Amino acid sequence: MSDNKLIKAIKDKGKNIEAEMSFFDHLEALRWHLIRASIAIVLFTILAFVFYDFVFDTVIMGPMDPQFFTYRMLCKLGDYLNRPGFCIDKIPGKIINTEMAGQFTLQINSALLIGITLGFPYLLFEIWRFVKPALHENERKAASGFVFYASMLFILGILFGYYVVTPESISFLAGYQVSKVIENTFTIDSYLSSVSTLTLATGIVFELPILVYVLSNIGILTAKTMKQGRRYAIVGILLLAAIITPTPDVLTMMVVSIPLFLLYEIGIIVAGTVERRRLKREREEAAKA
């Protein structure tokens, strides 16, 4: 091997070692970001565990109480529109525990769900801190409000899911009977799973504009594509609303579907804004070249 080839091989090996060390350095940094986020979630979980009487009686079991905020508002709306069918003054069904350690695991699981929900904004903050150094200056400016907007959308989704989607679904499913000889008695695990799934799923669905922003930035999604797919989105949203709120009431379906329509339209605006910024940046770079 000539001296030049030997020197080149040594340099290539050095670059590989440097790249490998950089990769593991990034993994180490990511690990610490996730550790800090996990600590925040654990602290919120402990807080929920300590104040569990309020968490369980007021938050988790709220949709089973006829005096829940949503049911009272529906009764007032029914009186205003002269439609007494809107009023929900009784939640049928009975919740039971069928396992020896069921209530203990219930407290742990529900406290953990509250901890994850409350700690989610801080998790987004740690993810942003990890990604931020790899972005260019213009990309940092464009994504500077990521944590705030993603957190606000998640919180709005959680509130919408908890106060609109969950009560409507619980009141319908708890009272639905194929036959009068079958009594609705369901386990606390089934109830907790329904409440948490409906609430968290709605929170995640409300992150749609953030997903559109990311896909638009990498060129996968455009405003034109979303406009062309609007009719299919409308059908999909109506189907989703029918599944989430399995009541035959059209007004209830519209209450659920309208925010989803708005999210889709906001997504179109976001995609168009990102596309215009990208084209402007490309023109500026071409002019400089």
Side-chain angles (χ1 to χ4, degrees), residues 36-50 115 118:
R36 284 192 291 269
S38 299
I39 291 173
I41 291 173
V42 169
L43 290 176
F44 281 120
T45 301
I46 293 172
L47 188 65
F49 194 89
V50 171
L118 295 177

Side-chain angles (χ1 to χ4, degrees), residues 64 71 88 90-94 167-180 182-186 246-247:
M64 286 295 292
Y71 303 141
I88 299 173
K90 181 183 178 182
I91 307 298
K94 181 180 179 182
E168 287 290 340
S169 299
I170 292 295
S171 63
F172 173 79
L173 296 174
Y176 186 83
Q177 286 183 299
V178 175
S179 172
K180 292 185 178 180
I182 304 175
E183 182 181 358
N184 278 342
T185 302
F186 35 90
T247 57

Side-chain angles (χ1 to χ4, degrees), residues 222-233 264 268:
T222 63
K224 182 179 179 181
T225 304
M226 293 189 69
K227 288 178 181 178
Q228 291 174 345
R230 184 185 276 123
R231 66 184 69 179
Y232 304 107
Y264 192 84
I268 293 176

Side-chain angles (χ1 to χ4, degrees), residues 95-278:
I95 299 179
I96 61 172
N97 172 49
T98 59
E99 297 180 7
M100 181 70 71
Q103 298 202 41
F104 178 69
T105 55
L106 166 69
Q107 185 170 357
I108 294 176
N109 292 337
S110 52
L112 180 60
L113 286 170
I114 296 294
I116 292 172
T117 303
L118 295 177
F120 185 76
Y122 185 75
L123 173 62
L124 292 176
F125 174 69
E126 288 293 343
I127 292 174
W128 168 247
R129 288 183 62 192
F130 174 72
V131 174
K132 185 178 178 180
L135 301 178
H136 297 292
E137 185 64 29
N138 56 348
E139 292 174 333
R140 291 183 189 179
K141 290 180 180 179
S144 58
F146 165 75
V147 176
F148 174 78
Y149 291 117
S151 299
M152 288 299 101
L153 286 171
F154 180 74
I155 292 170
L156 286 174
I158 289 291
L159 293 175
F160 183 76
Y162 181 72
Y163 283 106
V164 178
V165 179
T166 298
E168 287 290 340
S169 299
I170 292 295
S171 63
F172 173 79
L173 296 174
Y176 186 83
Q177 286 183 299
V178 175
S179 172
K180 292 185 178 180
V181 301
I182 304 175
E183 182 181 358
N184 278 342
T185 302
F186 35 90
T187 65
I188 187 61
D189 289 340
S190 174
Y191 172 78
L192 179 63
S193 175
S194 298
V195 172
S196 59
T197 300
L198 290 169
T199 303
L200 292 175
T202 310
I204 293 171
V205 168
F206 267 57
E207 297 289 347
L208 175 63
I210 302 298
L211 178 62
V212 170
Y213 178 83
V214 173
L215 295 178
S216 300
N217 262 302
I218 58 181
I220 295 178
L221 192 63
T222 63
K224 182 179 179 181
T225 304
M226 293 189 69
K227 288 178 181 178
Q228 291 174 345
R230 184 185 276 123
R231 66 184 69 179
Y232 304 107
I234 291 173
V235 174
I237 288 171
L238 290 175
L239 289 174
L240 180 62
I243 294 170
I244 292 176
T245 57
T247 57
D249 198 331
V250 176
L251 182 60
T252 303
M253 284 182 57
M254 292 306 297
V255 168
V256 174
S257 58
I258 286 174
L260 300 180
F261 288 140
L262 291 176
L263 284 173
Y264 192 84
E265 293 301 321
I266 291 172
I268 293 176
I269 296 172
V270 170
T273 303
V274 171
E275 190 174 359
R276 286 192 297 272
R277 286 179 179 175
R278 189 175 66 250

Side-chain angles (χ1 to χ4, degrees), residues 2-35:
S2 66
D3 292 342
N4 290 335
K5 289 184 178 180
L6 180 60
I7 292 172
K8 186 177 182 300
I10 293 172
K11 287 182 178 180
D12 290 341
K13 185 176 181 180
K15 289 179 181 179
N16 291 334
I17 293 173
E18 184 180 352
E20 186 176 351
M21 289 178 63
S22 177
F23 173 75
F24 284 110
D25 287 343
H26 281 85
L27 279 182
E28 180 68 13
L30 177 61
R31 185 172 74 92
W32 280 106
H33 285 295
L34 294 178
I35 287 174

